[in-house]
């Protein structure tokens, strides 16, 4: 008899009412490929709404957590970032809920994967800091908001040898897609496990934890074998949690 699929919570994005659009009332959103990738790698994905007061109860039923990305930023107030850059846009309730979910997941010791904005929030929860706008800090930076489609590679990243990420993907270089204007400047209690050629941090992980990894790209698109191996690693770790 096959073992049950581990239950993987996936955070949702939120959108305001859009008269004439999807709904005239507030609505949740997620790209289908987040769920598809988790299911393809052996997990059972379930969507998580933005109820921070229910985070502990929700996480008690999960075997793993994926904190997704979105077109918004972590409020600089949460990491002592000083004056807000003009480009910063926030979704306070989403951030509050995802923060509560990350903390609850780590208190339980279940695997956590942060993707793009989810990596940035993970770094902040771990005591880190962010660059509010990459071009201001890295004048010669790559196009981290790549002009080509998201299901294509935008640049390569160097994977730090000996890290958990390196063991999962089995490579020291990955082609990744890229859609972010902010980045991690200080990973806090985490360590950097991948960087872009321009020095921008592309992945972090928490040593000594079953699996706690944040990646700045969008592996749910599965543009490389490494993307699939990362999700396989998440599901394998979650399976151990559920046993």
């Amino acid at each position: 008899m096959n073992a049950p699929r581990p239950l993987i919570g996936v955070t949702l994005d939120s959108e305001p009412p859009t008269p004439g659009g999807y709904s005239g009332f507030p609505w949740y959103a997620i790209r289908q490929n987040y769920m598809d990738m988790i299911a393809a790698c052996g997990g059972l994905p379930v969507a998580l709404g933005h109820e921070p007061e229910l985070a502990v109860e929700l996480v008690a039923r999960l075997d793993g957590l994926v904190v997704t990305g979105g077109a918004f930023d972590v409020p600089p107030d949460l990491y002592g970032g000083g004056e807000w850059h003009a480009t910063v846009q926030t979704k306070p309730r989403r951030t509050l809920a995802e923060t509560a979910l990350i903390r609850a997941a780590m208190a339980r010791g279940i695997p956590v994967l942060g993707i793009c904005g989810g990596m940035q929030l993970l770094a902040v929860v771990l005591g880190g800091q962010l660059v509010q706008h990459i071009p201001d800090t890295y004048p010669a930076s790559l196009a981290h908001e790549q002009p080509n489609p998201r299901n294509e590679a935008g640049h390569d990243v160097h994977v730090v040898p000996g890290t958990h990420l390196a063991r999962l993907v089995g490579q020291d270089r990955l082609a990744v897609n890229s859609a972010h204007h902010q980045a991690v400047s200080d990973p806090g209690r985490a360590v950097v496990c991948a960087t872009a050629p321009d020095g921008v941090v592309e992945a972090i992980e928490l040593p000594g934890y079953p699996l706690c990894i944040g990646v700045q790209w969008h592996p749910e698109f599965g543009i490389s074998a490494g993307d699939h191996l990362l999700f396989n690693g998440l599901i394998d770790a979650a399976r151990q949690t559920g046993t």
Side-chain angles (χ1 to χ4, degrees):
M1 182 176 179
N2 292 332
R5 290 171 174 255
L7 188 64
I8 309 298
V10 186
T11 64
L12 296 167
D13 200 358
S14 62
E15 295 294 337
T18 52
Y22 177 77
S23 176
F25 300 91
W27 49 284
Y28 286 127
I30 192 167
R31 265 188 285 99
Q32 181 177 329
N33 57 3
Y34 280 108
M35 304 308 219
D36 288 350
M37 177 63 87
I38 291 168
C41 291
L44 186 64
V46 59
L48 305 177
H50 301 165
E51 290 81 28
E53 67 280 2
L54 299 180
V56 172
E57 189 173 350
L58 283 168
V59 167
R61 305 188 184 194
L62 300 178
D63 300 310
L65 174 67
V66 174
V67 184
T68 63
F72 72 105
D73 305 302
V74 178
D77 297 352
L78 294 184
Y79 54 91
E83 184 177 351
W84 289 32
H85 193 275
T87 58
V88 170
Q89 301 180 51
T90 62
K91 293 185 176 181
R93 185 165 177 81
R94 174 176 176 176
T95 296
L96 187 65
E98 289 182 329
T99 299
L101 287 164
I102 291 171
R103 287 177 173 158
M106 297 190 71
R108 273 200 67 215
I110 66 172
V112 177
L113 174 61
I115 295 175
C116 198
M119 164 181 154
Q120 294 166 10
L121 182 59
L122 178 61
V124 170
V125 171
L126 292 172
Q129 302 259 331
L130 305 181
V131 172
Q132 290 194 43
H133 192 56
I134 291 171
D136 289 357
T137 303
Y138 299 87
S141 65
L142 300 167
H144 287 276
E145 292 187 284
Q146 66 184 54
N148 54 313
R150 297 293 183 259
N151 62 345
E152 299 174 359
H155 61 82
D156 287 352
V157 300
H158 169 68
V159 181
V160 178
T163 61
H164 194 170
L165 179 63
R167 291 192 294 273
L168 288 177
V169 303
Q171 302 175 60
D172 60 8
R173 190 165 296 274
L174 293 174
V176 302
N177 48 8
S178 191
H180 61 107
H181 81 105
Q182 297 200 327
V184 172
S185 58
D186 176 357
R189 302 200 315 275
V191 298
V192 174
C193 53
T195 56
D198 58 7
V200 169
V201 174
E202 289 287 333
I204 62 172
E205 61 184 51
L206 184 62
Y209 193 91
L211 186 146
C212 182
I213 295 175
V215 297
Q216 195 63 78
W217 64 92
H218 282 273
E220 70 277 10
F221 280 92
I223 66 171
S224 76
D227 289 342
H228 293 270
L229 291 167
L230 176 59
F231 273 96
N232 284 339
L234 171 73
I235 302 306
D236 287 345
R239 193 172 284 117
Q240 295 300 315
T241 300
T243 57

